[in-house]
Amino acid sequence: EADIYQTPRYLVIGTGKKITLECSQTMGHDKMYWYQQDPGMELHLIHYSYGVNSTEKGDLSSESTVSRIRTEHFPLTLESARPSHTSQYLCASSDEGPVGIQYFGAGTRLSVL
Amino acid sequence: KQEVTQIPAALSVPEGENLVLNCSFTDSAIYNLQWFRQDPGKGLTSLLLIQSSQREQTSGRLNASLDKSSGRSTLYIAASQPGDSATYLCAVPTGDSGYALNFGKGTSLLVTP
């Protein structure tokens, strides 16, 4: 059982609002990731982190930002939400470099009106 | 860039049938390959991880094989049940981006009673 948690599970907000999607893991993993998934489409990497104070942008351009102040916490922030941000956001963490299992949270489904 | 393809995109079978899901990847220099299950609107559940040095992995009614040289993996599901209905995703780690995963679009499986 993976110990990685995302809140909120669902969020409906208006255009222009600032939002933060939370992701926490209790496994002590150094690597953490944010993926974006549109309905019926594959997951795309938007941010990742090697550890505390490390954040990098992924392949898919995103207007979101992330921070990694503590090992267990990797929040994603949208300063001004737009309808184009409507999607599912999935957080993951991993151990053991390239050979470890990647564990996923339940996701946050965001709708921007 | 690594590309991951899954065939078929959708599959409907009657309960009790054995079935095979296919995954192919363009760059055979992979560390491992991971199979996931995703239920509608939910996160991903890891099913099996095959290291590059392995040929197959088994968990209950699931068996995954890996042929690196041909760039292929299969997920075999024995004696399918309605509870197996979900989308099945395969993924391989990137060589960079913190070993984030490259995903296929998935196979949507429906097992009818």
Side-chain angles (χ1 to χ4, degrees), chain A residues 29-91:
Chain A
H29 291 166
D30 286 326
K31 294 181 181 60
M32 294 189 74
Y33 313 87
W34 277 102
Y35 296 88
Q36 185 174 342
Q37 185 183 32
D38 293 327
M41 302 298 290
E42 64 266 45
L43 282 76
H44 290 286
L45 179 71
I46 50 175
H47 297 283
Y48 62 100
S49 168
Y50 288 105
V52 171
N53 295 325
S54 156
T55 61
E56 305 286 345
K57 288 188 178 293
D59 299 330
L60 184 67
S61 175
S62 174
E63 294 166 344
S64 59
T65 59
V66 292
S67 62
R68 190 85 183 277
I69 299 173
R70 302 197 314 267
T71 297
E72 63 270 23
H73 195 214
F74 191 39
L76 180 146
T77 298
L78 279 165
E79 290 293 334
S80 180
R82 295 207 298 268
S84 61
H85 297 141
T86 295
S87 190
Q88 174 156 258
Y89 294 84
L90 292 158
C91 180

Side-chain angles (χ1 to χ4, degrees), chain A residues 2 35 37 43 90-94 100-105, chain B residues 6 21 23 32-39 42-49 62 64 75 77 84 86-93 99-108:
Chain A
Y35 296 88
Q37 185 183 32
L43 282 76
L90 292 158
C91 180
S93 72
S94 175
I101 294 173
Q102 203 160 119
Y103 298 95
F104 281 77
Chain B
Q6 291 188 247
L21 308 181
C23 172
N32 58 51
L33 184 142
Q34 199 166 351
W35 282 94
F36 293 89
R37 168 185 174 139
Q38 185 175 31
D39 292 288
K42 302 286 182 63
L44 277 64
T45 300
S46 180
L47 298 173
L48 290 163
L49 181 143
L62 305 179
L75 179 66
I77 302 177
D84 295 330
T87 296
Y88 291 81
L89 300 165
C90 70
V92 294
Y99 306 111
L101 295 175
N102 278 323
F103 284 88
K105 290 186 178 180
T107 293
S108 178

Side-chain angles (χ1 to χ4, degrees), chain B residues 12-92:
Chain B
S12 180
V13 300
E15 181 176 8
E17 274 204 6
N18 302 324
L19 56 100
V20 175
L21 308 181
N22 297 291
C23 172
S24 63
F25 44 94
T26 54
D27 186 348
S28 61
I30 62 170
Y31 296 103
N32 58 51
L33 184 142
Q34 199 166 351
W35 282 94
F36 293 89
R37 168 185 174 139
Q38 185 175 31
D39 292 288
K42 302 286 182 63
L44 277 64
T45 300
S46 180
L47 298 173
L48 290 163
L49 181 143
I50 312 177
Q51 301 294 354
S52 61
S53 58
Q54 298 175 318
R55 294 299 299 261
E56 64 177 61
Q57 277 281 2
T58 298
S59 176
R61 293 183 294 109
L62 305 179
N63 176 279
S65 68
L66 176 64
D67 184 342
K68 272 184 56 176
S69 60
S70 66
R72 295 183 183 185
S73 176
T74 61
L75 179 66
Y76 175 84
I77 302 177
S80 59
Q81 303 170 358
D84 295 330
S85 299
T87 296
Y88 291 81
L89 300 165
C90 70
V92 294

